[in-house]
Amino acid sequence: MLQRLGWRMLALTFVTLGLIGAVLPGMPTTVFMLLAVWAASKGWPPLADWLLNHPRFGPPIQNWQTHRAIPRRAKWLAGISMLISMPLICLAAPSAWVQWLVPSAMCLVLLWLCSRPEPPCPQP
């Protein structure tokens, strides 16, 4: 019972972060929704099913689960968001190590994103 509650709370946390990411530039949406489906599948299967079948969040999750693929548009949006966020983070960072660590992490994430395949074109 307590374990299931923990999985549900984790799933809701990831859904909340994903919804914030849907409106806040520089914060990912799909990554958090993928984590939400993972957590929900452990303790809240109806939420996992709802996310997988959601018209907006479902297709990217399914593309990842099926093909480990990321659409080109998502790669571009992520890159642009990071490019916009990077100077803001560097200006607002309280210490030099944050000014170096965060942009370095963003660059690594972007390189990884670009190395992922694109989903296959849907067949008519």
Side-chain angles (χ1 to χ4, degrees):
M1 175 70 175
L2 193 56
Q3 187 177 17
R4 185 173 52 195
L5 181 63
W7 285 117
R8 287 181 176 198
M9 289 178 61
L10 190 60
L12 284 177
T13 300
F14 288 139
V15 168
T16 301
L17 290 170
L19 292 173
I20 291 169
V23 295
L24 187 65
M27 188 164 167
T29 300
T30 304
V31 172
F32 288 117
M33 292 306 181
L34 285 168
L35 290 168
V37 167
W38 169 75
S41 69
K42 309 259 187 224
W44 202 351
L47 178 62
D49 292 340
W50 180 80
L51 287 169
L52 283 167
N53 294 309
H54 191 276
R56 173 134 172 104
F57 305 125
I61 295 168
Q62 291 170 15
N63 273 332
W64 179 255
Q65 288 183 334
T66 306
H67 306 288
R68 294 292 191 248
I70 301 170
R72 184 176 298 174
R73 182 174 185 268
K75 294 176 189 181
W76 275 100
L77 287 173
I80 291 167
S81 294
M82 288 181 199
L83 192 62
I84 292 168
S85 302
M86 214 176 286
L88 299 173
I89 290 168
C90 288
L91 289 172
S95 63
W97 72 270
V98 174
Q99 292 175 341
W100 285 100
L101 182 65
V102 172
S104 298
M106 284 182 170
C107 289
L108 290 173
V109 168
L110 190 57
L111 284 172
W112 179 82
L113 274 174
C114 292
S115 73
R116 300 297 92 204
E118 294 179 17
C121 295
Q123 299 298 321

